[in-house]
Amino acid sequence: MTRNRIALAICCSTLALSACGGDEIVSPGTSGDIIINNPGGGGGGGGGGGSGGTVTPASGCPTINATGGLTDGGTITGPTGEYRICQLPALIDADTTLPYISGLLYSLNGQVDIGTDRGPTSTGSSVELTIEPGVIVYGATGRSFLVANRGNQLIASGTADRPIVFTSRDNVLGLSTDNSIGQWGGVVLLGRAPVSDCRTGVFNNNGQNSDGSGAFNQANCEQELEGTNTTTLFGGTNPADSSGRLEYVQIRYSGFSLAPGNELQSLTTGGVGSGTVLNHFMSFNSSDDGMEFFGGTVNMKYVVAVGADDDSFDVDTGAQANLQYVIGAQRSGGGDNLIELDSPDGDYDTRALPRTVFQMSNFTFIEASTANSQAVRARGGAKLTLVNGVIETANETCIRIDEAVTLAADPDFNSIIADCDGAAPFRGDAGVATPDVKAQWDAGSNNNEAVAITLTNLFFSNTVPAFDVSTLVTSPSSFFDQVDYIGAVSSGTDTWYRNWTCNSATLNFGSSTGACTSLPVY
């Protein structure tokens, strides 16, 4: 198949276009053209902050309820001005609010815990950390991260014009670029919803609980958080548990790694329940995954993952995850799969409950990485359902399925158009034949792997009938919205992604809050 040409109009202004540079026009890893229109909009890939102006430092730090309070760390100066530094204590041990104050940044000087672990069967919430719209929190070290432990909550609710930003010290100083990654840890939400692949010691060689009872007890099935030197547990018995709220939030330049396979993402969830509210969330330039869900019941809408150096969306170890209205875009020089789906290590069996189930509707994927070999990879017996989607690849395989148990889980594809590698649009591995993957694709309705993709403001104009999402099983049952279009946006004027996101050379959303390389100024 001849490679298709991509017309991608993402509302760059003339100034933003000059900042994007030549690589934006014909980016490495694609053989098509990326055409930028200039209807006016927010700052581009290398531009300044939000509404402009020079920031002056706040006079001091506010009083909070947590023991030890905030530590005044002096000031820090970057391109947008000078800020007062207010350092959070290592433990938030009482309900605490971080108010928005002009000229003030909150810093994490290492691991910051919201509450202490309350175990797998506790109820209610002990400690809540509330973050107001417009607040900026940054990791002062590479090992800095924020974790809401089981039985505690992070309430971070920004607004469409004043998102909450979690970022790095280099970003504050103006040293981060559109290719910077891994400058601090990230945000972690842990909960008491069921997980699988229990940590060592729960099962003996006979598949019984380690106490010899032979009966599986979900409360005994816990996992340990990756990316930390201390034993941090998650998982439990309540699929409706709440670890708080993330709304209108950006997480930039994160992804600390202790060792290969032991990393933090922009957003890491472990055993969070369906009571956790997650919407209007952006991950930018994580050195690992854009987000990874370890078990739990995860529901997200209006999700953006740009520039992840590994997978954009990683779902495993028993997660029951549902996402709708999703944009995923890779940098040309980094990124593996757009989706990596797995169940526990090794084949799915009676000791690995629950099985991972991942359902996504209304997504637009732009695969630009030269480092990967497929857009979507499923393995380990996980159940995959993708509907109402658009996949633009850099001449890569679209769907890969590993292991017979994953094929037996009956992956579903409906109303998806894609521009796959003409010679190898599908791939089977580890016991799955490539024709069997193609058969699964063909068994769905309204799929086409050889379409010339033209995106205008992330919209693909098409006449593909939308799949009826009411047939998908979710908790709550009303999670998916019934829509009459495929892809992440409904039309060229649907800009749900604008202003609460940040702009970059990888993808410019026309957001008034400015470039990812700078801080928003209000």
Side-chain angles (χ1 to χ4, degrees):
M1 178 180 72
T2 302
R3 280 291 298 149
N4 298 300
R5 296 170 63 85
I6 315 161
L8 180 57
I10 311 293
C11 297
C12 279
S13 67
T14 302
L15 287 175
L17 181 60
S18 66
C20 290
D23 285 347
E24 181 80 5
I25 304 303
V26 182
S27 64
T30 70
S31 54
D33 294 338
I34 298 180
I35 303 170
I36 306 296
N37 289 345
N38 300 298
S51 57
T54 300
V55 175
T56 58
S59 59
C61 297
T63 300
I64 63 172
N65 293 332
T67 300
L70 296 168
T71 301
D72 190 331
T75 64
I76 187 170
T77 302
T80 51
E82 186 179 5
Y83 298 84
R84 176 71 53 192
I85 301 170
C86 296
Q87 181 182 312
L88 272 69
L91 174 63
I92 308 296
D93 59 359
D95 288 352
T96 294
T97 296
L98 302 183
Y100 171 78
I101 298 173
S102 179
L104 187 150
L105 303 175
Y106 298 96
S107 73
L108 310 171
N109 198 37
Q111 178 175 338
V112 174
D113 288 277
I114 303 172
T116 57
D117 180 27
R118 298 180 58 228
T121 59
S122 61
T123 59
S125 176
S126 178
V127 175
E128 295 180 1
L129 174 62
T130 299
I131 302 178
E132 291 187 348
V135 164
I136 299 174
V137 181
Y138 75 92
T141 73
R143 292 175 175 266
S144 298
F145 66 98
L146 179 66
V147 53
N149 288 293
R150 283 187 299 191
N152 306 278
Q153 296 186 339
L154 171 61
I155 311 295
S157 293
T159 62
D161 57 353
R162 289 202 175 193
I164 293 167
V165 177
F166 295 92
T167 191
S168 67
R169 184 173 184 271
D170 276 4
N171 195 194
V172 175
L173 294 172
L175 302 177
S176 301
T177 72
D178 281 329
N179 289 311
S180 298
I181 57 174
Q183 297 180 338
W184 68 293
V187 175
V188 180
L189 300 180
L190 304 179
R192 298 165 290 196
V195 301
S196 60
D197 197 22
C198 316
R199 68 189 180 122
T200 303
V202 172
F203 291 113
N204 62 27
N205 291 333
N206 296 319
Q208 296 176 321
N209 281 333
S210 55
D211 62 6
S213 66
F216 179 77
N217 183 347
Q218 189 69 57
N220 290 340
C221 188
E222 301 172 296
Q223 289 187 24
E224 296 183 28
L225 176 66
E226 292 182 355
T228 175
N229 285 318
T230 60
T231 300
T232 305
L233 302 178
F234 60 88
T237 57
N238 181 12
D241 189 36
S242 174
S243 299
R245 308 175 72 92
L246 292 183
E247 303 174 289
Y248 296 103
V249 166
Q250 299 174 21
I251 302 180
R252 308 177 180 179
Y253 302 113
S254 60
F256 175 73
S257 176
L258 282 177
N262 191 11
E263 309 96 353
L264 291 177
Q265 287 60 236
S266 278
L267 174 64
T268 303
T269 71
V272 303
S274 60
T276 308
V277 177
L278 301 167
N279 64 72
H280 295 89
F281 172 80
M282 180 184 190
S283 165
F284 179 74
N285 278 25
S286 169
S287 66
D288 195 53
D289 303 322
M291 57 207 75
E292 184 164 10
F293 311 136
F294 293 95
T297 306
V298 183
N299 294 324
M300 296 185 76
K301 284 183 178 176
Y302 304 107
V303 186
V304 175
V306 174
D309 212 49
D310 192 11
D311 308 310
S312 299
F313 305 92
D314 195 341
V315 184
D316 47 37
T317 56
Q320 313 295 293
N322 305 296
L323 276 70
Q324 188 172 25
Y325 313 121
V326 179
I327 297 168
Q330 296 175 325
R331 292 177 295 118
S332 59
D336 192 7
N337 310 293
L338 271 299
I339 293 175
E340 182 174 80
L341 180 65
D342 208 348
S343 247
D345 294 338
D347 287 348
Y348 169 74
D349 61 28
T350 57
R351 295 181 299 161
L353 297 171
R355 176 179 65 174
T356 303
V357 177
F358 182 45
Q359 301 180 124
M360 180 182 284
S361 179
N362 296 101
F363 61 92
T364 297
F365 286 166
I366 302 170
E367 183 191 38
S369 173
T370 57
N372 67 336
S373 57
Q374 63 274 317
V376 177
R377 183 182 186 183
R379 58 187 176 185
K383 166 68 174 178
L384 173 64
T385 298
L386 297 178
V387 302
N388 299 332
V390 176
I391 304 175
E392 167 53 42
T393 80
N395 200 29
E396 301 285 0
T397 295
C398 280
I399 309 294
R400 172 179 170 178
I401 298 176
D402 296 358
E403 301 175 295
V405 288
T406 315
L407 190 67
D410 192 23
D412 291 325
F413 308 98
N414 290 282
S415 297
I416 301 174
I417 60 98
D419 174 19
C420 308
D421 178 359
F426 308 103
R427 178 182 172 187
D429 205 352
V432 176
T434 294
D436 291 335
V437 181
K438 174 76 161 59
Q440 285 294 136
W441 175 269
D442 290 341
S445 58
N446 303 308
N447 297 321
N448 191 332
E449 71 274 19
V451 176
I453 306 293
T454 299
L455 297 174
T456 301
N457 293 354
L458 291 168
F459 173 64
F460 175 73
S461 179
N462 66 89
T463 57
V464 177
F467 178 77
D468 181 4
V469 294
S470 68
T471 62
L472 303 179
V473 177
T474 62
S475 177
S477 60
S478 59
F479 171 75
F480 283 109
D481 300 328
Q482 187 68 50
V483 298
D484 61 0
Y485 60 91
I486 70 170
V489 297
S490 62
S491 68
T493 59
D494 180 2
T495 55
W496 59 257
Y497 50 79
R498 187 166 294 170
N499 296 334
W500 60 272
T501 55
C502 60
N503 308 316
S504 68
T506 304
L507 209 54
N508 190 322
F509 295 105
S511 290
S512 60
T513 47
C516 301
T517 52
S518 187
L519 303 184
V521 178
Y522 306 112

